[in-house]
Amino acid sequence: MTSAPANLLAVRTLLLAYLNVDKNVVRDADLEPAEVGIVGDPSHRGGYHCGSDRVVANDYSVVESTRDRSGLTLYASALDVGTFSVRSGGATHTLRTFSTWMVAQCAANAADTRDIREVIYSADGRTVRRWDRLGKRTSGDSSHLYHTHISFFRDSTKAGRDQTPLFRRYLTAIGLIAPAKPETDMEQTDKLIRNTGSSSRTVGDVLADLQNLRNWLISPAGTTGLVNPPASNSPLQQMLAMLQAWPALVAQVNELSGKDFTDEQQIVTGVLAGLPPEKIAEAIPPQIARDVADELSRRLTA
């Protein structure tokens, strides 16, 4: 038998949460639970308030759109909203202003309205009008002077698509729901989302730590006035000291790189000092050995 789908029940719950001002008292100004309907009464036949067990031959809610034919189930696919009046943002908001806002959004083809087939409503309480996405009809019966009917293409009901964004947007537009903060709009008092080991840590704490780290990096060790500087013997302070000494170290390396460290005579002397005489003699060619012997003899007899 025809039943209410979860996605339209969610819209009903959202509207009652904000437009049923005093839930314990029935008042004309409030949107009462009985004024937000999805499933037609047992005698209702045909139309979007009926599921497949109650549609009639050539039912307009089925035959005029492939979206309806392919989406026909036992779910009803419409929502009725009754009269209400609420003050918010310095203005009074009623069923009529809600209906004209809704139709304007549909006519503009807003992304969150594209599952809506039609809106039957009255903007002045005297004339019934119909906005029809398929352009088939322009009016409705007089009961719509007191309630607004919204039909949803049946394929959207069958798929269970979320229909609350449009209605949440209305409640936000009139000031009953606070606008969501942009993700980049953070306050320094906001708590960090991820766990950093300190549940009370805030965005401001992180910014202060970053500023402190900057001061430590560019200030010589021992500079007074730094906020919470690291201890002089801490690993962080030792690392900072190394970073601060880095330019001087680079200058020294550059200076040494331009020097010639090759001292051939020192190298030869070192090598010969490590060899026994017989090894030195074996390494000298015979003619050179004779010349050296003659020279040594001359020096000794001189």
Side-chain angles (χ1 to χ4, degrees):
M1 58 186 299
T2 296
S3 60
N7 60 345
L8 297 189
L9 285 171
V11 174
R12 181 178 187 273
T13 298
L14 177 66
L15 291 176
L16 290 174
Y18 289 94
L19 299 178
N20 182 214
V21 180
D22 190 340
K23 297 174 177 57
N24 298 315
V25 179
V26 176
R27 303 189 310 169
D28 290 341
D30 286 359
L31 181 65
E32 300 298 332
E35 295 179 299
V36 188
I38 299 173
V39 177
D41 62 42
S43 63
H44 201 111
R45 290 292 182 273
Y48 286 93
H49 283 296
C50 296
S52 57
D53 61 328
R54 295 195 202 173
V55 295
V56 296
N58 296 318
D59 196 316
Y60 90 102
S61 72
V62 178
V63 301
E64 291 182 350
S65 168
T66 56
R67 294 188 62 180
D68 289 326
R69 286 194 296 274
S70 65
L72 181 61
T73 66
L74 283 171
Y75 286 137
S77 197
L79 183 76
D80 282 346
V81 180
T83 58
F84 64 87
S85 178
V86 295
R87 289 284 299 174
S88 177
T92 299
H93 307 279
T94 66
L95 174 65
R96 295 175 188 174
T97 60
F98 161 76
S99 301
T100 54
W101 182 91
M102 180 74 61
V103 168
Q105 298 302 308
C106 291
N109 198 33
D112 50 8
T113 68
R114 292 171 186 165
D115 285 334
I116 293 179
R117 155 72 196 270
E118 63 186 353
V119 181
I120 310 175
Y121 68 105
S122 176
D124 57 10
R126 296 185 299 274
T127 303
V128 175
R129 301 176 180 176
R130 184 189 307 231
W131 177 86
D132 185 348
R133 189 174 296 274
L134 302 182
K136 301 287 188 181
R137 298 166 186 82
T138 59
S139 187
D141 65 64
S142 61
S143 69
H144 298 94
L145 294 173
Y146 311 104
H147 79 273
T148 292
H149 169 95
I150 305 168
S151 299
F152 298 84
F153 284 113
R154 292 183 184 274
D155 63 350
S156 67
T157 304
K158 181 179 181 179
R161 274 197 293 276
D162 184 9
Q163 301 299 338
T164 58
L166 173 64
F167 297 87
R168 185 174 297 277
R169 191 155 61 83
Y170 167 73
L171 296 170
T172 301
I174 67 174
L176 291 180
I177 294 180
K181 285 184 179 181
E183 292 185 5
T184 56
D185 185 14
M186 295 186 298
E187 301 292 339
Q188 290 202 27
T189 54
D190 289 346
K191 297 291 182 64
L192 297 184
I193 296 175
R194 292 180 175 83
N195 182 14
T196 62
S198 175
S199 59
S200 61
R201 195 160 173 74
T202 67
V203 172
D205 293 331
V206 173
L207 294 176
D209 286 347
L210 290 174
Q211 182 63 33
N212 290 339
L213 180 58
R214 175 184 176 276
N215 290 338
W216 299 337
L217 287 172
I218 67 173
S219 303
T223 299
T224 59
L226 296 183
V227 179
N228 299 325
S232 59
N233 61 345
S234 69
L236 178 57
Q237 187 61 64
Q238 294 171 16
M239 180 189 73
L240 296 176
M242 292 174 61
L243 290 174
Q244 291 163 352
W246 184 257
L249 178 60
V250 170
Q252 292 177 14
V253 171
N254 289 337
E255 181 182 356
L256 292 174
S257 66
K259 293 184 176 181
D260 182 5
F261 294 97
T262 305
D263 187 337
E264 292 84 353
Q265 184 59 51
Q266 184 177 1
I267 293 173
V268 171
T269 301
V271 171
L272 292 177
L275 294 174
E278 59 273 18
K279 293 295 184 182
I280 297 174
E282 290 176 1
I284 299 175
Q287 183 58 51
I288 295 177
R290 284 191 293 271
D291 293 341
V292 171
D294 291 343
E295 179 62 23
L296 288 174
S297 175
R298 186 187 64 77
R299 291 186 182 187
L300 290 173
T301 59

